[in-house]
Amino acid sequence: MAITQTCQLDPEILAYRVKDASRVSGIGITSLYAMMKDGRLEKRKVGGMTLIPAASLRSLIDGEAV
């Protein structure tokens, strides 16, 4: 009988695409882009994608963002 190991990734989400951040937070896409532009929400560009770090989105929602 062989023993197999399964590799599982950490289920914690590190970053969201803008559309997904809007869906999980309830904040509109236009508002998210405005908050990124004025510095209240962090963003990362990866290739052609704009990603919002999950920690930044949580801070915004928790009222800790500037």
Side-chain angles (χ1 to χ4, degrees):
M1 176 185 248
I3 299 174
T4 57
Q5 292 182 338
T6 329
C7 179
Q8 294 182 355
L9 296 175
D10 186 347
E12 182 178 345
I13 295 172
L14 299 176
Y16 294 98
R17 291 183 179 198
V18 178
K19 180 179 174 182
D20 295 326
S22 176
R23 181 180 49 79
V24 300
S25 69
I27 301 170
I29 291 172
T30 303
S31 295
L32 289 172
Y33 277 110
M35 287 184 247
M36 286 186 278
K37 184 177 180 181
D38 67 20
R40 288 186 287 160
L41 189 60
E42 294 177 40
K43 69 176 178 184
R44 302 285 187 272
K45 293 294 276 188
V46 178
M49 287 186 298
T50 299
L51 298 175
I52 298 172
S56 181
L57 186 59
R58 282 190 204 99
S59 291
L60 177 77
I61 292 169
D62 290 341
E64 299 169 9
V66 191

